[in-house]
Amino acid sequence: MSCIILGIETSCDDTGVAVVDAGDRVLANVLSSQTQLHADYGGVVPELASRGHSENIVHVFRGALESAGIGLDDVDLIAVTRGPGLIGCLLVGVMVAKGLSWSTGTPVVGVNHLKAHVWASVLDRTARLAAPALCLIVSGGHTELLLVEEPDSVEGTLVGGTRDDAAGEAFDKVARLLGLGYPGGPVIDRLAAEYRGDLIDFPRPMLSDSSFDFSFSGLKTAVAVYLEERDIPEGRLSDEEQKRVAASFQEAVVEVLATKAQKAIRETGVRTLIAAGGVAANRQLRRRLRDLAGEMGVEIIIPPPKYCTDNAAMVAAAGYRRFLHHGDDGMELDANPSLSIRPVQR
Ligand code: KG4
Ligand code: ZN
């Protein structure tokens, strides 16, 4: 049955509006990135980001309807990210969503951005989410291992998380140390792919720890110390050395993420691994997780890179499921910058 969902994403620095049918068929997925706006500052400036969303949202919205070939009257449900994220940014999306709902009478739901990352794995696949499954959520703000026990659900038990920096944050900080600009993940991914030589043995934080937790701030410090000891001023590495540091750092992150995922799969006995979030766009991580799943004989689901990084199609997919279980959020809907994945109570 058709159900046209309008998804809206404004939690950080990407303004996204998407049109998705029946929770998985993407009819339009329009994104306006603010990368240029923040590049000079080496990271997202909240005030500039929220202003950017206000300026962009109307043409991104129009673009999405046009590209899907629909009018506002055709929309059955509006889904918007309500958190976690930057409050000024979230409010732009939430206000637009509520305004549209108020004026058209279309139901509106608020979506948890982290759950939306996991729901990205159903887009363009028309497949149900298998369970039990282990989800590795790796983004700019989060690194979490979530055990989902019910099929078609993203409710679950958090089995591990980062104790300090998120994986994406580490990529961004190391890229800054190397003078590579923001966001760091895609540049490090590219430089590492071009490198063929030997690697620097950076630490693998908490690798042999018995928990499923992560810690990436020490790894970033190890890269800083490596550069300092060689007396290399920021951004002054030779091209080859830049690639070597990028590849060595990436290898350390990928090894830690893959090893912890492997341990958690073994311990929980799940047969499905899902990877989601911006860092899941990383080619080496994708390769490593696929190899690992192949060796362990488990199913692996990683959305295509365009659905790993922030987008509004995943918000529509998550909103559809929320609506089926909880109905309309109505005008009570509010932004919550510190929304988390609440562990299931036992
Ligand atoms: O999920 P996302 O788009 O936004 C958040 O919810 O945070 O993730 C953004 C993060 C950034 O830290 C970015 O550097 C990282 O994902 N990222 C990558 C790659 N593409 C984006 N990290 C490693 N390799 C990539 N190819
Ligand atoms: Zn995200």
Side-chain angles (χ1 to χ4, degrees):
M1 202 181 68
S2 174
C3 175
I4 300 290
I5 308 135
L6 184 80
I8 301 175
E9 161 61 40
T10 62
S11 66
C12 190
D13 58 344
D14 291 304
T15 315
V17 178
V19 179
V20 174
D21 188 11
D24 47 40
R25 205 162 68 85
V26 181
L27 305 180
N29 187 28
V30 179
L31 208 60
S32 167
S33 167
Q34 300 179 3
T35 306
Q36 268 328 97
L37 189 65
H38 303 285
D40 290 347
Y41 302 92
V44 178
V45 183
E47 183 62 26
L48 291 180
S50 49
R51 192 183 305 191
H53 289 306
S54 310
E55 286 165 3
N56 293 337
I57 189 94
V58 172
H59 78 254
V60 173
F61 165 70
R62 285 205 181 116
L65 290 187
E66 213 174 280
S67 146
I70 62 157
L72 197 49
D73 290 352
D74 299 312
V75 174
D76 300 305
L77 175 68
I78 299 160
V80 62
T81 299
R82 65 179 288 252
L86 299 166
I87 184 64
C89 297
L90 292 165
L91 280 172
V92 175
V94 168
M95 287 304 136
V96 168
K98 283 168 76 171
L100 288 171
S101 170
W102 174 261
S103 56
T104 58
T106 310
V108 62
V109 286
V111 164
N112 181 319
H113 181 86
L114 297 175
K115 292 184 181 176
H117 271 303
V118 179
W119 280 115
S121 45
V122 300
L123 294 171
D124 292 342
R125 285 180 73 233
T126 41
R128 296 187 67 197
L129 272 194
L134 184 77
C135 304
L136 173 66
I137 307 173
V138 270
S139 70
H142 293 83
T143 302
E144 264 143 31
L145 272 171
L146 180 76
L147 175 65
V148 171
E149 280 160 299
E150 299 290 327
D152 268 330
S153 160
V154 177
E155 302 301 327
T157 313
L158 274 180
V159 293
T162 183
R163 298 204 179 159
D164 41 58
D165 292 354
E169 192 178 351
F171 270 94
D172 295 336
K173 286 179 174 172
V174 166
R176 201 181 313 170
L177 289 173
L178 295 174
L180 296 172
Y182 176 86
V187 200
I188 291 186
D189 186 340
R190 182 173 52 76
L191 293 183
E194 288 168 9
Y195 183 69
R196 295 282 170 273
D198 65 318
L199 295 176
I200 306 154
D201 190 19
F202 286 132
R204 271 64 170 157
M206 301 184 73
L207 190 66
S208 21
D209 176 277
S210 62
S211 78
F212 300 122
D213 286 343
F214 305 91
S215 162
F216 291 111
S217 79
L219 175 56
K220 173 211 65 194
T221 307
V223 175
V225 169
Y226 176 87
L227 298 176
E228 256 168 50
E229 280 175 352
R230 277 147 198 85
D231 208 15
I232 303 167
E234 210 169 281
R236 293 282 175 76
L237 285 174
S238 69
D239 287 355
E240 196 56 12
E241 187 65 6
Q242 211 174 36
K243 287 178 188 171
R244 183 165 178 250
V245 176
S248 308
F249 158 77
Q250 179 177 275
E251 173 60 28
V253 176
V254 168
E255 189 179 339
V256 173
L257 291 174
T259 307
K260 290 276 172 166
Q262 184 179 32
K263 275 189 193 166
I265 292 170
R266 262 202 210 115
E267 200 143 311
T268 57
V270 300
R271 309 302 305 154
T272 302
L273 171 65
I274 299 172
V279 181
N282 184 272
R283 285 172 285 177
Q284 198 188 340
L285 179 63
R286 298 170 78 87
R287 233 181 348 256
R288 193 69 59 87
L289 293 178
R290 285 214 177 94
D291 290 351
L292 178 154
E295 284 157 22
M296 299 183 86
V298 301
E299 179 196 21
I300 171 106
I301 303 171
I302 315 181
K306 67 175 174 186
Y307 296 145
C308 284
T309 45
D310 284 353
N311 66 88
M314 67 182 195
V315 177
Y320 179 63
R321 275 76 191 184
R322 178 165 173 91
F323 185 68
L324 294 180
H325 291 105
H326 301 274
D328 191 357
D329 282 334
M331 294 301 116
E332 301 295 301
L333 170 62
D334 203 2
N336 179 354
S338 47
L339 196 65
S340 60
I341 290 196
R342 211 173 305 127
V344 168
Q345 300 298 322
R346 288 171 188 283

